[in-house]
Amino acid sequence: MPQFAEALLPLSIPGTYTYRIPPHLSPQVGSRVLVPFGRKKIYTAIVVMLHDRAPQGYDVKEILSLLDDKPIVRHPQLKFWDWIADYYLCSPGEVYKAALPSGLKVESETYISVNPDFEEEVAGTLSDREKVVLDFASQRGRVQITELANATGFKNVEHTVSRLIEREAIRVSEHVVDNYRPKTETCVRLKCAHGDEARIHECFDLVQRAPKQEQLLMAYLDLSRWMGRDEPQEVSKEALLRRADVSQAVLSAAIQRGIFETYKKAINRFAVLGNKLSDPPVLSAEQRRAYTEVHECFRQKAITLLHGVTSSGKTSIYMHLIKDALSLGQQVLYLVPEIALTTQLTRRLKAVFGDRLLIYHSKFSDNERVDIWRKLLTSNDPCVVIGVRSAVFLPYAQLGLVIVDEEHDTSYKQQDPAPRYNGRNAAIVLAQMHGAKTLLGSATPDIGVYYRAQNGQYGLVQLLTRYEGIEMPQVKVIDTKQARRKREMHGMFSQELIDDCRHALKSGEQVILFQNRRGYAPMVRCKECGSVPKCENCDVSLTYHKYTHSLSCHYCGYTINLPTTCPACQLPGIEIVGYGTERIEDEVERVFPDEKISRMDLDTTRSKSSYDRIIDEFSAHKTHILVGTQMVTKGLDFDRVSRVGVLNADTMISFPDYRSHERAFDMLEQVAGRAGRAHKRGLVILQTSDPSHPVIGFVERHDYEGFYRHELAERERFRYPPFVRLINIYLKHRDDALLGELSVRYATLLRQTFGSRVLGPERPMVGRVQNLFIRQLVMKIETQASMSKVKTILRQLYEQMLELDTRMKSVRLYYDVDPL
């Protein structure tokens, strides 16, 4: 038996920690164990190695308990975690923390309790604050420090607690908390052994004068199949009461007579979807050609790009490929960029794949995600998992196909916290580790992905005609500067846009209006002095939200009420500047007072059901105009949308970033694709103050190839991806002057090794977030370079910087590989 275990903790620390295995425990690689860490904390760690090599130079702590009879993590997952940590320059513990649902990470919480042996006369007189804390803890028996702070209202209550600990007035303990709670249902069973006929006769005698209870007994015998040879089936209380058509009171009376007893049974949270399944949609000739070509590409290459224009029927092809994989006994991962897409896709996939469909995303409760994790862990049955980027971390056993829909989408990139991984790229590596095939699908492929497909690294299949031959939507470009000169602009709406939308609505059609900014208005300012209210913690102006009548920071959440007078000059001159989706919604109600309107943005879709409700109402034509941010651009299919209005294309195109043109083209082309998807050509009204911009021309012609060649030439000229790999290095500190000095010294040290590959440091566009000032360095690394070696060199240089200047310890430093 191995004596030691290498344990991975969910912390931002390099490597693993060694723990001694108690004689009574037998952990396996992939099992969860409770381990002590530091002076008081307890964490759930994952065992990644077992061995007999005793560490030298320190006492080894012992594993406290084993949480799993069988591993909770499969071996390929640990290998996958290591790859993410190496490539994205973070610690394996940060990957573990992101990968496992919180319900599988038992945590410790700090509690305090009164020391019964404490004597104030011996320890000295307590302060008033200390007496309040001690009295509260005495009343409660044991209390959390956070609860103590809330109850007393004391600031820095930890200091008071610390003084009481020093006086030995209170004790500190760690209470282990398991957040996972299985879903249960109440079941009913007879209080007798199966086959005891005499007892059954006694039960009937007991209910002879209680017809409702007799009815209940008969229903139970029927549902449980008591009279059969096999063990009786479990019967839920709900099913029994429904079959017998009696009330809870009748069951309670039967329980009191000793006929029945109830018990709790753990059940899965995802519903059984039934077996009334349909076949995938019949493919058109063009779709059939593309489907066949995908299979041919898979014979030669592990990764294939399906470049299909909007409304070409890519989803139908996916469904046929999924059916093929399931028939081979394989599991399928179907990634989508936004939770909103799962709503429509789920219905289509449920109809074909029934209870073999699993859904996994962050809007599900943690308990629901744990249940899905356990189902995949305990079953190798073929199934299809549809989810957002976090679904790559699930414990697949027989993964055969990975589909990444809308692969170009920036939502696949995790921003904060670490690991800052790209779900698309991670899915490709996951598939390779399982020997599975990967299909990337998009109407506007990522420049880097299309470059690899053109160079033969990936297979390429194109589907350039819409389903049933529907024409691509007409794009009408409106010059807003000229419209303003002619006084044809009404707020954000040109007269042409209003007329076109009004015509469509009168014909019973629907309209989507796109504005890529949420809130009521980007900012408010004073008409008298020009002052703009800014966030106290970040270098950004506050966004006005009319619904809450407040100003909010979209970086840190700082919120204040809208002032009636200017905080700077004290004059009543506050005015609202700009348009967000909330204000657009108000304006649309004014222009189209008789139409039903809904809005889709982050503010209206915070709950799991809100996505479904908005999409269901629009799909059922209960609402006629949908106002939204980029959420409305992503793969949604509404058959009666004939008009799409882009209210301001300029903000996307002019953003100061090398990817801004690609993002603008993707977003504009995708939102244009929502128009005219069934039996009729749609119209897109694109408002811009610069109609001659090349991106506008490419969108107008739906010319992805032309845009790709134009953009690729620019990137090759200035050495940007796909010709190099970018790594952004961020340094943060509360002292701006100190940060400036240290970032320059660190950049100089990096250049001694990496030379001209290092650019900066620069202050980013938002130079302070949550009271931390920021500096940014950019590294341009050759694509063939080993990220593992780069990580090793960066760690060595950071340690060298710490030796040169110990103040560097106070700087937060992290890396963003392949930033978007």
Side-chain angles (χ1 to χ4, degrees), residues 264-280:
K264 296 285 186 180
K265 172 192 171 186
I267 60 171
N268 280 326
R269 285 178 167 79
F270 28 85
V272 175
L273 305 173
N275 296 311
K276 295 181 180 179
L277 307 178
S278 58
D279 292 325

Side-chain angles (χ1 to χ4, degrees), residues 15 21 164 222 239 272 276 279 413 594 647 680 723 790:
I21 303 172
L164 288 168
D222 182 32
V272 175
K276 295 181 180 179
D279 292 325
K413 184 71 161 73
D594 299 327
L647 301 181
K680 182 179 178 181
F723 302 101
V790 170

Side-chain angles (χ1 to χ4, degrees), residues 542-659:
L542 297 174
T543 300
Y544 174 51
H545 290 257
K546 183 182 179 184
Y547 180 73
T548 57
H549 201 58
S550 62
L551 299 174
S552 296
C553 173
H554 289 173
Y555 283 84
C556 71
Y558 172 77
T559 301
I560 61 173
N561 291 328
L562 180 69
T564 54
T565 59
C566 173
C569 68
Q570 306 302 316
L571 294 174
I574 294 293
E575 66 174 349
I576 296 165
V577 181
Y579 287 81
T581 48
E582 194 179 352
R583 189 175 186 183
I584 295 296
E585 184 182 23
D586 274 3
E587 293 290 308
V588 171
E589 287 177 351
R590 182 181 57 79
V591 177
F592 303 102
D594 299 327
E595 305 296 341
K596 293 183 178 178
I597 302 154
S598 59
R599 172 165 56 95
M600 179 183 271
D601 56 26
L602 187 62
D603 296 318
T604 62
T605 55
R606 294 191 184 275
S607 69
K608 181 170 67 175
S609 61
S610 55
Y611 287 97
D612 296 3
R613 178 182 53 77
I614 294 170
I615 290 170
D616 286 348
E617 288 178 355
F618 198 64
S619 296
H621 315 128
K622 294 179 181 178
T623 53
H624 310 128
I625 301 175
L626 177 62
V627 177
T629 57
Q630 58 180 329
M631 287 183 182
V632 303
T633 71
K634 300 179 181 182
L636 298 174
D637 190 355
F638 303 113
D639 58 359
R640 288 175 64 176
V641 173
S642 65
R643 298 290 187 275
V644 168
V646 179
L647 301 181
N648 186 2
D650 303 330
T651 54
M652 293 176 284
I653 295 172
S654 58
F655 195 79
D657 183 86
Y658 83 97
R659 287 184 182 269

Side-chain angles (χ1 to χ4, degrees), residues 404-466:
V404 185
D405 196 17
E406 310 292 350
E407 59 80 20
H408 66 277
D409 201 286
T410 57
S411 297
Y412 282 122
K413 184 71 161 73
Q414 163 76 8
Q415 300 298 336
D416 278 309
R420 296 170 180 84
Y421 67 101
N422 186 307
R424 176 198 63 212
N425 297 345
I428 290 172
V429 173
L430 177 71
Q432 290 172 341
M433 289 181 174
H434 283 266
K437 303 297 184 182
T438 304
L439 182 66
L440 310 174
S442 177
T444 55
D446 176 86
I447 295 290
V449 168
Y450 200 69
Y451 176 75
R452 294 180 186 92
Q454 291 283 1
N455 287 351
Q457 291 175 256
Y458 299 169
L460 176 61
V461 177
Q462 294 189 309
L463 189 60
L464 303 181
T465 56
R466 283 186 145 191

Side-chain angles (χ1 to χ4, degrees), residues 256 309 616 645:
Q256 286 181 347
V309 299
D616 286 348

Side-chain angles (χ1 to χ4, degrees), residues 628-794:
T629 57
Q630 58 180 329
M631 287 183 182
V632 303
T633 71
K634 300 179 181 182
L636 298 174
D637 190 355
F638 303 113
D639 58 359
R640 288 175 64 176
V641 173
S642 65
R643 298 290 187 275
V644 168
V646 179
L647 301 181
N648 186 2
D650 303 330
T651 54
M652 293 176 284
I653 295 172
S654 58
F655 195 79
D657 183 86
Y658 83 97
R659 287 184 182 269
S660 61
H661 288 179
E662 181 181 4
R663 286 179 187 161
F665 178 84
D666 291 349
M667 214 172 289
L668 294 172
E669 186 65 16
Q670 290 286 341
V671 76
R674 302 315 108 206
R677 297 176 68 88
H679 314 298
K680 182 179 178 181
R681 189 184 190 193
L683 175 65
V684 179
I685 304 100
L686 196 158
Q687 297 185 159
T688 174
S689 61
D690 187 10
S692 62
H693 195 285
V695 171
I696 301 297
F698 291 127
V699 173
E700 197 173 3
R701 299 187 297 275
H702 302 290
D703 183 9
Y704 174 80
E705 287 284 348
F707 170 76
Y708 165 76
R709 290 191 297 270
H710 176 271
E711 187 69 11
L712 196 68
E714 289 289 302
R715 295 196 186 181
E716 186 172 21
R717 180 183 174 192
F718 295 104
R719 290 188 71 242
Y720 278 108
F723 302 101
V724 296
R725 176 176 288 129
L726 290 187
I727 302 174
N728 284 348
I729 305 176
Y730 292 97
L731 299 94
K732 296 183 176 182
H733 199 278
R734 292 184 181 276
D735 187 329
D736 191 29
L738 176 64
L739 179 64
E741 178 190 344
L742 291 177
S743 61
V744 169
R745 292 193 67 184
Y746 185 55
T748 303
L749 189 62
L750 289 175
R751 286 194 186 93
Q752 290 174 7
T753 300
F754 292 103
S756 61
R757 298 178 184 87
V758 180
L759 304 175
E762 298 288 342
R763 192 187 299 268
M765 190 170 63
V766 178
R768 182 174 62 106
V769 174
Q770 295 182 347
N771 282 323
L772 292 174
F773 293 94
I774 307 169
R775 294 293 187 277
Q776 177 184 348
L777 296 163
V778 178
M779 293 180 61
K780 293 184 175 182
I781 303 296
E782 290 79 1
T783 55
Q784 64 271 22
S786 164
M787 290 304 294
S788 183
K789 289 182 179 178
V790 170
K791 180 180 183 180
T792 301
I793 295 171
L794 287 172

Side-chain angles (χ1 to χ4, degrees), residues 780-816:
K780 293 184 175 182
I781 303 296
E782 290 79 1
T783 55
Q784 64 271 22
S786 164
M787 290 304 294
S788 183
K789 289 182 179 178
V790 170
K791 180 180 183 180
T792 301
I793 295 171
L794 287 172
R795 180 172 295 280
Q796 291 171 349
L797 291 174
Y798 176 70
E799 291 171 356
Q800 187 179 339
M801 181 67 189
L802 290 176
E803 292 176 4
L804 293 171
D805 195 327
T806 55
R807 295 178 299 172
M808 191 68 179
K809 289 182 179 178
S810 63
V811 175
R812 285 183 54 190
L813 184 147
Y814 64 87
Y815 310 96
D816 188 3

